[in-house]
Amino acid sequence: KRKRAFTRRRYEICEQCDLEYDVTTNTDASCLWHFGKLKIDYGGDFWDAHDEDRDGIIDSEEIRDKYPQGFDWSCCYKNGKTAGRIVGKHRPDETKRGCSGSGVESAGAVKDRDVMSIAALT
């Protein structure tokens, strides 16, 4: 009987920065992230014209993704658009799978180029 080689995906989604990355180029300086959460910035005037009935609930993931500038990071109190301050390797999010290699999270069938032998990583 022939042994089946252990394989892993070539592209993963990082649990820290939520970006798709190529596992073959993942280094100790690949990922920039915040360890805090995005908190609503009520101190500025960003939300003055926002109507929750019309524009959506401010305290939601959808609005955080769409308007990060209206939020501050709880870990450093910097604006939500500020790049991460912690540097390290990307860590795969087991609940999400990257497969496009395009830098954009995508879904769909796994393609041959998306899976590689662990030997290719060494």
Side-chain angles (χ1 to χ4, degrees):
K1 288 184 179 181
R2 194 169 178 199
K3 260 189 171 177
R4 196 169 130 178
F6 179 78
T7 59
R8 103 177 255 186
R9 290 184 170 273
R10 169 86 184 259
Y11 299 97
E12 296 280 357
I13 303 294
C14 180
E15 71 177 359
Q16 298 164 148
C17 68
D18 204 35
L19 295 176
E20 184 175 84
Y21 66 96
D22 182 340
V23 299
T24 63
T25 60
N26 190 17
T27 69
D28 288 336
S30 294
C31 184
L32 291 173
W33 59 286
H34 291 272
F35 65 85
K37 302 228 182 270
L38 284 174
K39 302 291 183 182
I40 302 168
D41 176 14
Y42 288 116
D45 57 0
F46 184 83
W47 299 111
D48 289 352
H50 187 88
D51 180 328
E52 287 194 340
D53 292 330
R54 180 189 66 221
D55 304 319
I57 298 171
I58 293 173
D59 198 5
S60 68
E61 288 303 314
E62 179 183 351
I63 297 296
R64 280 180 176 79
D65 290 343
K66 192 171 182 178
Y67 304 111
Q69 64 272 28
F71 297 86
D72 289 332
W73 286 104
S74 64
C75 54
C76 62
Y77 305 104
K78 300 285 184 186
N79 184 270
K81 289 190 83 164
T82 305
R85 302 175 63 83
I86 298 175
V87 179
K89 280 188 172 185
H90 289 294
R91 293 172 26 190
D93 184 335
E94 299 302 324
T95 64
K96 298 178 183 176
R97 293 291 182 194
C99 66
S100 69
S102 65
V104 177
E105 180 180 343
S106 60
V110 174
K111 297 176 178 65
D112 289 338
R113 68 177 177 79
D114 299 326
V115 179
M116 65 181 178
S117 168
I118 292 299
L121 293 173
T122 58

